[in-house]
Amino acid sequence: MKKGMFLLLLIFWSGVVLAEKVDLMQDAWKLNGHAGRRLESADGVTGPVLEVTGDGTYSNAWILSGVSVKELREASGLGLLRFKVRRTAGSGGGMTGMEFANFDIPVTEDWKTITQIFRIPEGTDVSSIRLGQWRASGTLQFAEVALAHVVPTEGLSSEEVTDGAEYVFRSQFGRNMSNYSRPLERAQCGFNTDRWCFGGKSALIYRFTAKKCGGEKFYGGTLEYTVGYFVKGTLAAEYSLDGETWESLAVLEKSGTVTASLPEWTEGVAEFRIRFRLLDGGNLQMNRVSLTGKLGGEATVVRRGTTYFWELVEGDSGFPYPNGVSMKAPGDQTDTLTVTWEDGGVEKKAVIRCTYYVPDYYREDYGYRLSDDLWWCEATHKVALKRRVPKEADGVLRLSAAGNDYESLQIVLCPEKDTVLKSAKITGLPNAELRRVYYHFVEHPTDRTGVVAFWPDALVPLEMPWKCQAGKNQPLWLTVYVPEGTPAGTTRGTVTLVTECDGVEQTREIPVELRVWGFTLPKENHVATAFGYSAGTAYRYHGVKEASDREKINDAYLRLMSQYRISPYDPTPTVGLPISFVVDREKPENSRAVIDFSQFDPATEAAFTKYHFTHMNLWLPGMGGGTFHSRTEPSIQGFGETTPEYQAMFSSMVRQLEAHFREKGWLDKVYVYWFDEPEAKDYAFVRNGMNRIKKYAPGIRTMLTEEPSKEVIEGELLGKVDIWCPVTPNFNEEMAKKCREKGERFWWYVCCWPHAPYCTEFIDHSAVELRTWLWQSWKYDVVGVLIWTSNYWTSGAAFPDGAQDPYRDPMCYVSGYSTPPGTKRFWGNGDGRLYYPPLSCAQPSETPNFDAPVPSLRLAMLREGIEDYEMLYLLEERLKNATPQQRAKYASLLVVPESVTKSMTEFSTLPRPIYEHRAKVAEAIEALK
């Protein structure tokens, strides 16, 4: 891709078919069961609407059978299905697509256009279209459906990378191009969202031609593929040089990942094919294909492909190649061109359209030039490794912060030649530090927002001398802390960088201006934070085994979490809360719990006063629990919950805990998170457990990672939960209002889901998202944020015999949920990984390593969002004692502007609206002294 955001698209045309609108009122559309209806119209769209409703326990859809796809298949084998969809009530996603290519899609309350591009299986002439819901707890509407033929661009696709010596193909199932891959030659297989579904005589053939892959010949390579779902069968991988004679490469007879080497072709081959097929039938799903081919040439500039598709809007087919489309601002873009040409002396004309998405990664409309090879920008950006120095100049680094506030920015070195950073010094700002931004190579983008590229995340210590490579950006992360009580005004400092290039030393002095606002942020958050932390994972990577060494490691990570304003589930990991049980055999009702608070109390006191943690999860032995996947029945000392012994011991335990926490003043900081993401089948179990806690200890708060919905009400969970914590797309304002009327609160969480267009925690998303998440929390009156863990550095399933290097491999792989050892299934880049072990133990250390843990850019953005939330809270508090005139002037600032976030899926990926509104809030707080 050229700098300057321009992509040359060359395409070949054959039998292009005009996009055809599908009539939603025709009788051929049939509802395959349960609730649904057909509407003649709806606001925001043209034409009729198909509607489906679910209650979370079933799936249903509108089906249009008898759809001819023969002409599309014979033209290029590709089709496009486009429609609009929205959710009018409840929560949940859609189940859509062609019969042979299903797509489970996220759905929002606003109309969104969905484009699905699919490869038509060989021999398929007729299929059906499906528009419905997959166990959604709400109502979805579909409109403006069209079916079209599309042609992909020639050249490398977005799944391919080459540098002249090596070619890499990595499947990216799950995007709008779904099962299409440029090398895919033949498909006789079903597809579901992000995986090929093999059954019967299913087969796939990929064809790799060296000249199309950036070289002359192949000299060998490596194939890797993953089966994520397995019932029975053997998935064989074979290779062929002529498409007729096939040789075995590998077989996979279970879930997991297999790696196989291609033969070393001494004299090279021009092309080869890879075939996947079932031996003797079966039922399994392939989630991933990766191939590395040796091209044998000299390494050149790395070229990464991009996949776009053109469709004919109106006019004649057979037109000449359009000469390109420009890469506009990030987001969904559509280029429409009118082309004219002569064919046999006859003048022809056509209107063609290319709908594409520009990732935020390529954004260049930010930053300030300091010199030809040095620039700076706000912290709320992810600087691409290769990005031009901005044109706009500003020679002063500018920051604004309150007391007890951290503020960061980035100084970016971009030398024309290899340059060594010999020293970096900060003067005039006593509470400031510089770190180096580390780049991680993303091989498998999480979703369409991501790209195959190096992405910035870890903020590692700046060790010098440091070699900066020519033509590549190297950001230095400057963070300034403003202590409580710092006088308001402007503080000035200097960052001095000493570099050396070709033996010539150069000193750069960059002025810094810090504006200090005349107020202090609270030490303790008023938005709850609940983040998992695996002490065992930290011990493993740091190589510590002795109790005293584990204390040191835990203290380091607790201090890091405290500094970044997040609270772990368990803030006392080396102490715990010893609870034992005494069974009275003669009088079971006298059985009791014995709790030792002697070590727990000092550790908990430190958690709340030293580290300023907001909350802690209270684990109740014998409570039982689990997830939608599996659960454990309640039991204490072998006694089930229906026995008098169990009831006596459980009641003794929770009553003591409630009384103790109330006495200590900690009761409002404690929550019980004992069941995760229940489904309808679990509601009776969860309701029973909640009743058991409340029966004996009504003051202990319960938390459940679930959203209130119709089936939750019918499952009688409403009124049983103190803190509801849905995943963000499932948050429903109407249901939240009903729960709040009962005194219940709302937190929410992100994890491996949602994907774009929501705010997420992924490395390969824009930097602003985790910060915006807290603005959305304020907007929707959500008083807590949760992420399932924060140091998920490896997966026991993906790496059963070793450990992952979280620096070299940013992907977080599935563990648990019956995932077989050796299986690499994706949760997303950076999911559950907000800080890192030190670089010195990126792989588990054999000896104790006490180097400090490393924060991430995303963790810094989360802290910025929490600090923004605290500023809004502080303004709200000061307005309570303000005059009517002051309230009239400043109260509107408590409303989050649409320029920051209009909805859960509509927000600015540029941070400027946040900085502008934050400054207004700060000035209002100062005025309300």
Side-chain angles (χ1 to χ4, degrees):
M1 177 170 294
K2 293 182 180 180
K3 290 184 177 181
M5 312 292 284
F6 188 84
L7 181 70
L8 184 64
L9 303 180
L10 296 180
I11 64 174
F12 291 93
W13 289 91
S14 60
V16 180
V17 180
L18 185 66
E20 296 182 359
K21 290 187 177 180
V22 180
D23 183 5
L24 299 185
M25 293 303 289
Q26 60 181 298
D27 293 336
W29 282 99
K30 302 294 183 183
L31 186 64
N32 67 353
H34 301 290
R37 59 178 179 164
R38 199 190 323 247
L39 306 174
E40 292 187 359
S41 63
D43 60 294
V45 293
T46 59
V49 171
L50 297 178
E51 184 178 276
V52 292
T53 299
D55 67 359
T57 62
Y58 60 79
S59 300
N60 65 322
W62 284 94
I63 307 291
L64 177 63
S65 301
V67 178
S68 175
V69 293
K70 181 180 179 180
E71 193 173 5
L72 302 181
R73 178 177 58 79
E74 291 178 345
S76 68
L78 295 178
L80 175 150
L81 179 66
R82 179 183 291 119
F83 55 87
K84 288 186 176 180
V85 61
R86 71 174 178 182
R87 185 176 65 238
T88 60
S91 60
M95 176 181 64
T96 63
M98 305 301 293
E99 178 183 0
F100 50 78
N102 175 73
F103 297 84
D104 295 329
I105 60 170
V107 181
T108 69
E109 295 177 355
D110 299 314
W111 285 110
K112 296 292 183 183
T113 299
I114 302 293
T115 300
Q116 298 171 351
I117 294 166
F118 47 83
R119 177 64 183 258
I120 303 167
E122 303 299 324
T124 300
D125 293 338
V126 178
S127 186
S128 59
I129 300 174
R130 174 173 51 188
L131 301 173
Q133 58 85 21
W134 170 252
R135 295 187 178 182
S137 303
T139 297
L140 309 184
Q141 293 182 338
F142 299 89
E144 298 183 19
V145 181
L147 189 64
H149 167 235
V150 293
V151 177
T153 61
E154 279 289 303
L156 297 178
S157 70
S158 59
E159 300 171 301
E160 300 171 287
V161 179
T162 184
D163 63 2
E166 184 178 76
Y167 160 82
V168 179
F169 165 75
R170 302 180 180 90
S171 61
Q172 295 178 7
F173 304 144
R175 296 180 168 203
N176 70 325
M177 65 184 185
S178 66
N179 59 1
Y180 166 78
S181 294
R182 185 196 60 79
L184 185 63
E185 181 180 56
R186 182 180 177 86
Q188 188 60 51
C189 196
F191 185 82
N192 185 7
T193 305
D194 60 357
R195 54 204 181 272
W196 287 107
C197 302
F198 284 80
K201 296 183 179 181
S202 297
L204 301 172
I205 297 177
Y206 290 86
R207 179 182 178 182
F208 299 95
T209 303
K211 287 188 177 180
K212 289 187 176 182
C213 298
E216 293 295 325
K217 290 184 177 181
F218 288 106
Y219 294 86
T222 303
L223 172 72
E224 186 174 277
Y225 62 100
T226 297
V227 169
Y229 173 82
F230 179 87
V231 176
K232 63 178 181 178
T234 300
L235 183 61
E238 304 161 324
Y239 80 93
S240 173
L241 300 182
D242 58 11
E244 296 182 4
T245 304
W246 297 88
E247 299 288 339
S248 176
L249 274 176
V251 294
L252 195 52
E253 301 176 294
K254 60 181 181 179
S255 294
T257 301
V258 65
T259 302
S261 296
L262 294 168
E264 293 287 342
W265 296 300
T266 305
E267 296 182 2
V269 297
E271 70 175 23
F272 65 91
R273 291 171 172 84
I274 299 292
R275 180 172 71 181
F276 296 96
R277 67 184 180 98
L278 278 178
L279 303 181
D280 303 321
N283 181 3
L284 54 84
Q285 297 175 358
M286 183 171 71
N287 300 70
R288 172 175 167 263
V289 178
S290 177
L291 183 134
T292 301
K294 299 177 183 177
L295 292 171
E298 294 184 2
T300 59
V301 176
V302 174
R303 291 194 295 125
R304 309 186 192 285
T306 305
T307 305
Y308 294 128
F309 301 87
W310 286 91
E311 62 176 297
L312 179 63
V313 179
E314 61 181 46
D316 302 310
S317 62
F319 48 84
Y321 314 142
N323 58 11
V325 298
S326 61
M327 298 286 279
K328 301 174 183 177
D332 289 302
Q333 305 293 340
T334 298
D335 268 22
T336 302
L337 302 176
T338 299
V339 292
T340 58
W341 72 102
E342 283 193 4
D343 184 3
V346 178
E347 184 175 305
K348 292 190 174 183
K349 181 179 181 180
V351 178
I352 60 173
R353 175 171 58 206
C354 180
T355 301
Y356 57 99
Y357 175 79
V358 181
D360 202 72
Y361 179 87
Y362 297 120
R363 168 163 257 141
E364 290 194 356
D365 52 349
Y366 67 91
Y368 312 94
R369 174 187 293 265
L370 292 167
S371 65
D372 289 345
D373 61 353
L374 189 66
W375 57 286
W376 72 277
C377 66
E378 295 86 358
T380 319
H381 290 288
K382 291 184 179 178
V383 177
L385 195 62
K386 290 192 173 183
R387 205 222 93 150
R388 296 176 300 182
V389 176
K391 294 181 180 180
E392 183 179 348
D394 189 343
V396 179
L397 311 182
R398 304 179 192 279
L399 297 158
S400 299
N404 195 33
D405 190 7
Y406 291 87
E407 191 66 16
S408 302
L409 56 76
Q410 299 175 82
I411 306 168
V412 187
L413 291 157
C414 186
E416 294 182 359
K417 298 181 179 180
D418 287 354
T419 298
V420 175
L421 176 62
K422 299 183 68 175
S423 70
K425 184 172 64 173
I426 305 169
T427 54
L429 300 169
N431 299 287
E433 69 164 356
L434 284 168
R435 288 180 172 266
R436 176 171 65 88
V437 178
Y438 185 99
Y439 282 82
H440 312 256
F441 183 66
V442 169
E443 293 188 46
H444 304 279
T446 302
D447 53 33
R448 71 169 188 164
T449 298
V451 296
V452 178
F454 284 92
W455 285 77
D457 193 49
L459 303 178
V460 300
L462 178 58
E463 298 177 352
M464 288 165 290
W466 178 257
K467 184 179 179 180
C468 302
Q469 295 182 349
K472 293 183 179 180
N473 287 306
Q474 177 54 71
L476 304 179
W477 189 270
L478 171 66
T479 300
V480 177
Y481 173 68
V482 178
E484 181 177 356
T486 301
T490 299
T491 300
R492 292 177 173 82
T494 304
V495 174
T496 303
L497 306 178
V498 178
T499 59
E500 183 179 305
C501 179
D502 291 340
V504 178
E505 191 171 278
Q506 183 178 7
T507 299
R508 333 276 189 104
E509 292 189 348
I510 311 168
V512 184
E513 285 189 1
L514 169 65
R515 178 184 176 183
V516 178
W517 289 312
F519 59 91
T520 294
L521 296 183
K523 289 183 178 179
E524 184 177 300
N525 298 340
H526 293 86
V527 56
T529 56
F531 289 71
Y533 160 63
S534 171
T537 300
Y539 302 155
R540 179 184 181 190
Y541 275 78
H542 283 266
V544 298
K545 297 179 180 179
E546 299 297 327
S548 59
D549 291 344
R550 291 183 173 188
E551 288 275 5
K552 294 177 184 177
I553 294 302
N554 276 320
D555 181 64
Y557 282 91
L558 293 178
R559 282 189 285 109
L560 178 75
M561 286 183 268
S562 173
Q563 185 180 4
Y564 283 85
R565 285 184 172 263
I566 64 171
S567 303
Y569 294 161
D570 179 8
T572 61
T574 57
V575 175
L577 181 56
I579 301 176
S580 58
F581 298 95
V582 178
V583 178
D584 191 325
R585 301 288 180 177
E586 295 183 0
K587 294 184 177 181
E589 65 275 12
N590 290 338
S591 300
R592 58 192 174 86
V594 178
I595 306 177
D596 181 3
F597 292 102
S598 60
Q599 294 185 340
F600 175 81
D601 280 356
T604 303
E605 183 70 30
F608 293 141
T609 57
K610 174 183 175 182
Y611 299 119
H612 306 293
F613 294 144
T614 62
H615 288 77
M616 66 181 296
N617 183 24
L618 177 61
W619 180 249
L620 301 178
M623 180 68 196
T627 71
F628 63 89
H629 179 70
S630 62
R631 66 190 189 212
T632 303
E633 296 294 326
S635 177
I636 299 177
Q637 299 291 318
F639 294 95
E641 68 166 322
T642 59
T643 64
E645 290 88 349
Y646 177 93
Q647 292 293 324
M649 289 184 286
F650 184 83
S651 63
S652 170
M653 173 180 65
V654 295
R655 282 169 172 161
Q656 290 182 64
L657 291 171
E658 179 185 25
H660 187 81
F661 288 127
R662 179 176 282 112
E663 179 186 352
K664 288 288 185 178
W666 300 336
L667 194 58
D668 62 341
K669 297 178 182 293
V670 171
Y671 60 93
V672 177
Y673 174 20
W674 66 281
F675 202 97
D676 188 45
E677 298 178 337
E679 291 184 346
K681 61 182 174 58
D682 306 306
Y683 289 161
F685 180 82
V686 174
R687 182 178 67 248
N688 182 56
M690 296 297 188
N691 285 338
R692 192 183 331 132
I693 295 171
K694 292 300 183 181
K695 177 180 179 181
Y696 300 118
I700 293 179
R701 290 179 177 170
T702 57
M703 189 272 282
L704 185 66
T705 46
E706 176 66 304
E707 69 279 359
S709 60
K710 181 175 179 291
E711 70 269 20
V712 167
I713 296 174
E714 292 175 351
E716 299 181 13
L717 282 179
L718 199 63
K720 306 296 183 183
V721 179
D722 295 308
I723 303 168
W724 295 95
C725 188
V727 65
T728 51
N730 289 345
F731 175 78
N732 182 280
E733 286 189 86
E734 182 181 345
M735 290 302 303
K737 182 180 179 181
K738 294 180 180 179
C739 294
R740 289 182 181 122
E741 289 172 353
K742 294 179 175 291
E744 298 166 357
R745 298 183 178 186
F746 272 81
W747 298 356
W748 56 12
Y749 71 99
V750 294
C751 55
C752 55
W753 189 70
H755 287 179
Y758 290 89
C759 290
T760 75
E761 56 165 331
F762 301 120
I763 289 172
D764 49 337
H765 271 233
S766 68
V768 79
E769 291 187 14
L770 276 175
R771 186 170 189 174
T772 301
W773 187 29
L774 272 296
W775 286 82
Q776 291 180 346
S777 299
W778 181 270
K779 176 182 177 71
Y780 293 104
D781 194 21
V782 175
V783 295
V785 295
L786 178 148
I787 294 180
W788 68 285
T789 192
S790 48
N791 63 327
Y792 187 63
W793 300 332
T794 190
S795 160
F799 301 91
D801 302 318
Q804 184 178 358
D805 181 336
Y807 286 92
R808 292 183 177 272
D809 185 359
M811 178 57 69
C812 292
Y813 300 93
V814 175
S815 282
Y817 304 102
S818 301
T819 306
T823 301
K824 287 185 176 179
R825 295 169 56 195
F826 303 149
W827 263 336
N829 292 291
D831 175 37
R833 185 182 299 165
L834 292 172
Y835 44 83
Y836 296 80
L839 272 169
S840 54
C841 53
Q843 284 280 305
S845 177
E846 296 294 329
T847 58
N849 182 312
F850 298 103
D851 289 347
V854 173
S856 70
L857 187 157
R858 291 168 298 131
L859 183 60
M861 290 302 97
L862 190 67
R863 178 173 65 187
E864 295 281 10
I866 293 171
E867 289 170 340
D868 295 340
Y869 188 105
E870 292 306 310
M871 285 182 63
L872 291 165
Y873 168 82
L874 199 56
L875 175 59
E876 185 178 60
E877 288 297 299
R878 293 203 176 182
L879 282 172
K880 290 178 181 178
N881 297 318
T883 66
Q885 293 81 5
Q886 290 173 324
R887 284 194 289 272
K889 183 177 181 180
Y890 297 120
S892 62
L893 293 175
L894 296 175
V895 178
V896 177
E898 290 189 357
S899 60
V900 173
T901 180
K902 181 180 179 181
S903 68
M904 298 287 291
T905 58
E906 297 170 294
F907 51 87
S908 172
T909 56
L910 283 173
R912 185 164 299 167
I914 290 178
Y915 286 115
E916 289 175 350
H917 195 75
R918 173 176 171 265
K920 294 177 183 177
V921 171
E923 290 166 3
I925 295 172
E926 287 184 316
L928 293 169
K929 290 181 181 180

